[in-house]
């Protein structure tokens, strides 16, 4: 693409100025790069036009950013050598074919390294299978990269292939009310048996999936992945521990957009800026400037599930709708959701609102409410379970 097309935007950016320089790491997360992205209302909100992506690279290249790879990040985390000022790492999720046809030529032109994280089950998608991707769009195997594409990109020295799991890029049934939650972080609910996966079954499923993904990458590319990009940025300490045990010592999420300051040798949960809404270069730079200077205040609300609970499930749903609407009006950033039941109001937990081995279950309600608040009210939800709310075991035995 001619740089003449970029001149007006870059002239404006020179007036805006660049984000403040520091020695931290900015990680950008891209998905689909294609020519025909609609400016408004594209079916895939994560798609970026080829022209805008080229402009992003051109601006980064011309404004003092240095593209780094995982070797650089690991060396900095271990104190071997520092990252350059304004270090930037590019990542591409899902393994859509456009990363080869549209993004890779531009990466070569600018000599920008990148981490590409395909879902290995989609690379090996059977010819008669389809993947529901980006709303109503259905993708077949021709919409994803092949192992030959990945080998070519890896051979360039610019691309490192990470795992995006083998078959966990979906929402699994997570409770009796029908919520679907990222498969990597939920114990799947079986309605026929009215039972959840056990903890052992859940961890075994995650381990088997990551093992299959790592094996497929090593078999096709000659080396196992050392990074895991969790679908939907959903992970836990336990899933990161499994990945780490399989040699994937890097992991990424989408929590926050400010540059990451590496803290020691722990490379799990590196934050990324999800590039969404097909931003042009001016919009991207404005977002970088805002995030670099931002102080994120916490607006917290405590919600007591005892006030939401009702023996009638239909009334519970009405109460939940009213709660979500209220959170929309209040606009908190965080909700502390009381996960225990205290109907007599004495401050002690009499039961819990989730399946467990220690106390009675008043209702299997916590995951339902937490997920609805997270997805519909766009708040961060934390379980509120103060230690002092639980009677000592001796007192429970006498009760």
């Amino acid at each position: 693409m001619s740089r003449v097309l970029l001149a007006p935007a870059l002239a404006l950016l020179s007036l805006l100025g660049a984000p403040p320089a520091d020695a931290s790491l900015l990680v950008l997360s891209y998905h689909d790069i294609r020519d025909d992205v609609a400016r408004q209302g594209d079916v895939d909100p994560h798609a970026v036009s080829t022209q805008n992506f080229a402009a992003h690279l051109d601006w980064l290249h011309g404004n003092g950013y240095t593209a780094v790879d995982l070797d650089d990040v690991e060396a900095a985390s271990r104190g071997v050598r520092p990252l350059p000022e304004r270090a930037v790492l590019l990542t591409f999720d899902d393994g859509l074919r456009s990363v080869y046809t549209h993004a890779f030529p531009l990466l070569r032109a600018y000599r920008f390294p990148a981490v590409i994280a395909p879902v290995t089950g989609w690379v090996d998608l059977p010819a008669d299978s389809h993947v529901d991707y980006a709303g109503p769009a259905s993708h077949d195997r021709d919409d994803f990269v092949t192992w030959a594409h990945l080998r070519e990109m890896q051979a360039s020295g610019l691309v490192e292939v990470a795992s995006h799991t083998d078959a966990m890029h979906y929402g699994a049934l997570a409770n009796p009310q029908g919520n679907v939650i990222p498969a990597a972080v939920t114990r799947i609910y079986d309605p026929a048996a009215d039972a959840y996966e056990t903890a052992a079954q859940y961890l075994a499923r995650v381990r088997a999936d990551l093992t299959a993904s790592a094996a497929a990458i090593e078999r096709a590319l000659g080396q196992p992945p050392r990074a895991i990009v969790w679908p939907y940025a959903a992970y836990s300490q336990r899933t990161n521990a499994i990945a780490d045990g399989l040699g994937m010592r890097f992991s990424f999420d989408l929590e926050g957009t400010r540059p990451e300051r590496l803290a020691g040798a722990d490379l799990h949960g590196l934050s990324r800026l999800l590039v969404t809404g097909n931003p042009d270069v001016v919009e991207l730079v404005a977002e970088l400037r805002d995030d670099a200077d931002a102080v994120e205040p916490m607006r917290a609300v405590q919600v007591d599930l005892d006030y939401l609970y009702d023996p009638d499930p239909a009334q519970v749903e009405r109460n939940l709708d009213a709660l979500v609407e209220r959170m929309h009006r209040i606009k908190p950033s965080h909700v502390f959701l009381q996960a225990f039941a205290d109907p007599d109001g004495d401050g002690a937990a009499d039961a819990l609102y989730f399946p467990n081995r220690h106390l009675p279950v008043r209702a299997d309600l916590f995951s339902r409410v937490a997920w609805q608040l997270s997805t519909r009210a766009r708040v961060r939800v934390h379980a509120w379970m103060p230690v002092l709310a639980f009677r000592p075991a001796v007192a429970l035995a006498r009760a």
Side-chain angles (χ1 to χ4, degrees), residues 358-359 387 389-399:
H358 304 288
L359 286 174
V387 173
F390 296 89
R391 296 187 183 96
V394 173
L396 284 173
R398 291 173 177 170

Side-chain angles (χ1 to χ4, degrees), residues 4 9 15 49 64 70 80 96 163 177 192 196-197 235 264 267 315 399:
V4 174
L15 298 176
S49 71
L70 293 187
V80 175
L96 293 166
S163 170
Q177 296 89 351
Y196 291 85
E197 282 180 312
Y235 65 94
L267 295 170
Q315 184 60 51

